[in-house]
Structure formats: C-alpha cells, structure tokens
C-alpha cells in the first residue's frame, strides 16, 4: 500500500516514523512515497512535493493521510483525493466536525474509505469503540475530558497552586498549548470532538453550532482551592446525551467528586466515558494528543483499511433535534457581583462569592442564568455539577 | 448465522437475550437455534437439547457459544465443535487459560474462528484492544484490577469501615461473590485472566503455573485504615511485563496513591492498563462481569466473526522465559510477629505492626521475604507498592 502524507509537521512526521518502523519489522506492506509540504520545507525529506496534484493524480498512491489541520485547504485536498479514489485518513478534527457528511458521501460514491480515529481522543481507541458499542447497544450518552491542554492547566493549578496564566504559560513552554490558546481554553477543540463523537455515537448529523460552548479561562486558583476544601475538583468537559429523537450537548467546566476518575486525571491525559444499554459504563483513558499517540491512531486506521475492518455502519441518518431541556443539573457560580433571589430564581449564597442553584435546572434555564450573571461580571466562573 | 449456546445460566441467557434484541431490530441476521443444558432445565426454553452431538453434528449450526465454565467438559465440547468446523466463542477464562494453544491450533486446522473477549475484563473491550495495540506497538507491560468481586470487597471495607468477612458476605448476598469465594479472593480468577492477557499482549505461550499468586484474604480493615492515613489505598492486582525475551507476572495486593485511578475504582468495576512504545499508556474501565456486559462481549465476538474482523494475528510463537528478577519493587508488610534486620535484610519498622522494605527488591528476593514472614504469621498481609 502506497501512502502520501499531507503536511509534514509533528503528526505527519510521526506517521512516517511509525510506518517506517513497522515496515522494517515486516509487519505491514506499506510505504510512504510522497509528502505534501511548502517549498521552504523541501530539505526536510526527499519525498516532499508541493502540488496536491502530484499526489491526487498519482495512480500508484492508494491512501492519503491528512495532517495539515484547519479547514482550508484541508477540505479541498481531502475531497480531491477521495474523488481520485484514494482512501483518506485524517487527524483534523476541525475539518471532520464541519464536513463529515460530505467526506463520508464522497467516500461512499468513490468506493474508498474515509477514517478519522485520530481526530478525537488522539491515541485512545475512542471512535472505533463508539462504533463497535453501537453495533450492539444504543449509546445513551458520553462525556469526558477531551482536551489535554486544559487538563494540564487545571492539574497544574491544583498541584502547584498556580494561577491560570502561569499554568497556561508553562503549558505553552512545554508545547502542550499553542501560542494562541483560544481553541483549547475557549472550547472550540472540544466542540469539534463532541460533534464528531455525537455523530458516530448517535449515527446522526450534528450541527456543531447548535449546542453551547463555555470557556474554561474564567477558572481561578481560588475556585480550585474552594472546591478542594469541599472534596471536589473542576474539569473541562464535553458531554452529549440522546433521548426520544432529541439530543443535547455542551462544553463547559464541571465539578466532580474528588474520588471520581475524572477528578484524578493527571497532566495532559484524556478520559472519555460512554453509556450503553447492555454494556453499561465504559471508560477510555490515554494520551489525547502528541506526536506518536496521534500518529499511532492514524496508522491503526491505515491498518483497518488495509484489513477491510469496519467497526460498524455510519449512515448519519437518525433524525436528532437539538433540545436544551433534556438535562437537568445543578450549577456552581463564583462572581464578585451580588446575586440574590430578586434577580435569579433558585439560588443559594454559599459565601466567599460562591453561589449554587438550589434545584436542578434545564440547560434552557441555565442559559438565562448565565446571561444574567455574565452581564454583571464577565469574569464570573460557572460550572455544572456532575 | 445459526448459533448454539452451551449452558443456559446467567451469561448464556444474556447472550440469547441480546441476540434476540438485535435480531428484532434487523441489526444482525443471527439466530439462537439450540441450547445445551441439563434435562432438569428443559422447561427453561424450548431450544434446550441435552446431548452435545445434537449441536456438534448439526450442519446448520455455524457458531457455538460456550458459557458453561470450568475445564471439563467445556474443553471436550469446544474441541468437538471446532472439529465439526463450527466457530467457537467463549467466556470461560479457566478453559482458555489452560488450553488456549490447543483451541487456536484446532481453529486454524479446521478453518474456523475461536474467540474469547468475554473471558477477560467482561464487557471491557480489553483483548481486542491488546491485539490491536500490538499491530503497531510492542506492549511492554499491563496491569490492573481484573476482578470485580475483590474490588467490591475492598471498596466496601474502605467506604463502610467493614471487616473482610462482612464485606465478603454482602458481596455474596448481592451475587458478586460465589458461595465458595476462593477463585476470586485467592487469585485463581485473576491468574487465568493475566495468563490470557499476557499470551495475547506478548504473543507467547504463558504457563499459568509459573508466576506467583498471592491471596487478598489477609487484608484487614486495619490495613485499609493505616493506608488511608497515609493517603494510599490497597487494590488486588494482576500484572505482567516483558523484556529481552523474558516475562514476569504476578497476582497480589498492591498499594496505590489515593489520587491514582486504580485507588478510585468503585464497587465491582475493573480497570486495566497497557503500555506500548508509541501509544504510551492506555486504560480501559468497565464492568468486568455480569450478565449483560459479559454477553455483550460475546455478541461482539460473534459480530466480528460474521464480519471477518481480525484485530491482529496470534501465533503465540514468541519464546518468553519466566523470570523473577525483571521487576524491582518495594513491599509493605503487616504482621503480628516481630521482624528485624536479623531475620530479613533491608526492612524498616514503621510501627503499629507495619514494615517496609527499605529498597526495591526483585521478586526472587520477595519470595524469600514472604516465606520468612508467612512462616511466622500466616495471617500477615504483604502488598507491593505501585
């Protein structure tokens, strides 16, 4: 099987490394033959070409790995490769979340495979497990820590008594966070991953713009200390549930009991949980990002395509309508402004600027609550209780 | 696909239930046509037959699910079905650990499949994940909580301040523990699961009698209290590692930091961790036993066979020699007898009848240590530090 890689950054070079390693052990008859990158990077490998047509129109290439990231030109390049009857494997969550339906339709039309295990949960075999679980069960819900950068930040704030900015800066120096950290800390990364996971878990088209996404940048060291004193920990969570042809999803900070697994996820690790009607609760933990774990997931997709392995059919045909009244939860608020029952129903003052809803409320009610709070104090921290 | 089930107990009836459910949803063209059980159980189902030949010699049956448990006659029945060119799926860890090589050879010879996902980790997709990981990585080690009964006992002792006997009795009343609990609390169940996991993880024949198995029945509430005061928790662990054509494995109590995931596994859940050279650390959590989770794993095997899915080749051809000098660890001992440096090297008295090895020692040295301690006090508790 002859492979081309689009983008020779961290992940792309990891894919070449692993393919070469297992090829040298005679474990797989696969070979990277071309790598698309910019002319300035030509000295990085003698396989580098600079025009997508040198790959898409090369009939000897069977499979294309896309590791460029971003929507454009990744979307056009993936479509072009599918149209030229090449299997495509990608780690690019942004383009998959936005265009999964197009890619799956094109792959079906041109009788090739489109796979994206590495796009969600990095090295964790999460999407394959979701598809496999759905062969037998209805998956009613999933939730988890889908982003290693924000977990690293929260873990550092907790262990080293650091403020958010200091933990973020350390994460950037270690390469865990981007120079512009917004995609991680404001939730767009998790939004993409929840969209992809929900599409596979519920076998439905999911519009990523339908569900609410809250940043975790408002979490302070004071919040973590407060929760620690109450034997709790805050984590940054993506969740989705389905029920009666409706679904609900969100990305936001969530409070966990100190003895939950989520509260104890260290460093930049991820953990994701699914619930099925016969399997019960399954949790998957591992490196959600990084060169070799992500490249490993890509190579697993390559091997699955080579071995004709299908974890379960994906039609995205279930009609699911977004609802903000499925979940009923309690919320914790920390704000410097004063909240009282005159402005918000069902609220209790816990002291030290912390408030809690006195009963479980729907997401619809919560949206109104958060609007009221954030209008008065844009730095307020709002978290859901698990 | 026409299916027969051997044994109509908890798991067997769970398999029939799930197969019927997914058949009714047109998700799988499968059907249970015969069930082997004793004459006295004939009224439980009109599919019951009492002679294995009614199944093995029935050419219309494609696949046989074995859920009888125990070595005999499970071994003979599985072999007979394989010889009659029927795929076999089993949840029976005892017979797989003892005879995996025979079964895999017979399956190869008769060109059928032999699968046993449900034998280890119940509903957790553990064995498939091990095989899949090994397609790309060398798995250097795995460890985990492989037994839900003993985890339930330890969790109850911890949460409810119960003594061992009380927690065991409750587990028996809830159906988590057998009337004769020895297979669980003395480690034979985990020994089987470690043997099966090591065979697949290292692709080698593993003799289950080579590695040490220590009971967890010596753990007292006092031990758990002592560890809690030191921010630690004790769990019952199976582990195996390989290095340079040698392997080491064991089953024994292990001490974990209170913030580890293992320390926080609740009730009767399992968690198992593998380490691979590119994937890093992966953890899998779920129900390790129970009617529907175990039946789910069996049905997943059936679907994999139906869909020609192979997670990775299994030859068991790697030559691995057992060694008790690969691991070097520290140990905690609680004993009423007096230990001092005159009888044991490298030991420190922690007070309150607790002792710790002052340096990491090999398993070979530990075996000598434990012999010395247990000779003087057969109720001594000995645990390894993670």
């Amino acid at each position: 099987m002859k492979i081309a890689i689009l983008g020779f950054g961290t992940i792309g070079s990891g894919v070449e490394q692993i393919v070469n390693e297992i090829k040298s052990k005679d474990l797989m008859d696969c070979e990277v033959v071309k790598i698309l990158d910019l002319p300035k990077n030509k000295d990085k490998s003698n396989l580098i070409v600079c025009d997508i047509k040198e790959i898409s129109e090369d009939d000897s290439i069977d499979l294309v790995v896309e590791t460029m990231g971003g929507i454009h030109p990744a979307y056009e390049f993936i479509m072009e490769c599918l149209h030229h009857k090449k299997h495509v494997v990608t780690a690019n969550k942004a383009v998959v979340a936005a265009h999964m339906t197009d890619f799956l339709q094109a792959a079906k039309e041109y009788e090739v495979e489109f796979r994206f295990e590495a796009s969600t949960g990095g090295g964790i075999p999460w999407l394959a497990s979701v598809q496999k679980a759905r062969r037998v069960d209805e998956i009613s819900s999933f939730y988890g820590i889908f982003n290693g950068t924000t977990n690293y930040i929260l873990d550092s704030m907790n262990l080293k008594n650091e403020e958010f900015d200091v933990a973020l800066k350390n994460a950037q120096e270690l390469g865990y966070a981007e120079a512009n950290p917004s995609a991680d800390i404001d939730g767009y990364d998790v939004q993409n991953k929840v969209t992809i996971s929900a599409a596979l878990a519920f076998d439905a088209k999911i519009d990523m713009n339908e569900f609410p996404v809250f940043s975790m940048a408002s979490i302070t060291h004071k919040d973590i200390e407060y929760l620690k004193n109450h034997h709790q920990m805050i984590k940054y969570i993506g969740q989705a549930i389905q029920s009666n042809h409706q679904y609900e999803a969100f990305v936001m900070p969530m409070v966990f009991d100190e003895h939950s697994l989520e509260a104890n996820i260290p460093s930049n690790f991820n953990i994701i949980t699914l619930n099925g009607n016969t399997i019960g609760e399954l949790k998957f933990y591992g490196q959600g990002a990084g060169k070799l774990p992500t490249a490993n997931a890509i190579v697993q997709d390559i091997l699955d395509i080579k071995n004709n392995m299908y974890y379960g059919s994906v039609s995205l045909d279930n009609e699911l309508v977004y609802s903000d009244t499925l979940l009923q939860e309690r919320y914790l608020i920390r704000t410097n402004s004063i909240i009282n029952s005159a402005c918000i129903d069902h609220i209790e003052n816990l002291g030290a600027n912390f408030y809690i809803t006195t009963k479980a409320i729907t997401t619809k009610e919560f949206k109104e609550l958060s609007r009221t709070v954030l209008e008065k104090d844009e730095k307020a921290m709002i978290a859901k209780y698990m």
Side-chain angles (χ1 to χ4, degrees), chain A residues 206-217:
Chain A
I206 301 292
D207 179 349
M208 61 192 294
N209 299 307
E210 283 177 338
F211 60 86
V213 175
F214 291 86
S215 172
M216 53 80 74

Side-chain angles (χ1 to χ4, degrees), chain A residues 253-294:
Chain A
M254 253 170 119
V255 175
F256 289 84
D257 179 88
E258 68 180 352
H259 289 298
S260 65
L261 299 204
E262 285 71 21
N264 290 289
I265 301 306
S267 188
N268 62 335
F269 279 91
N270 288 190
I271 190 165
I272 323 177
T273 302
L274 71 77
N275 283 286
N277 56 305
T278 71
I279 198 65
E281 190 177 65
L282 287 181
K283 289 178 188 277
F284 301 86
Y285 165 101
Q287 280 290 346
K291 178 176 178 168
L292 292 177
T294 308

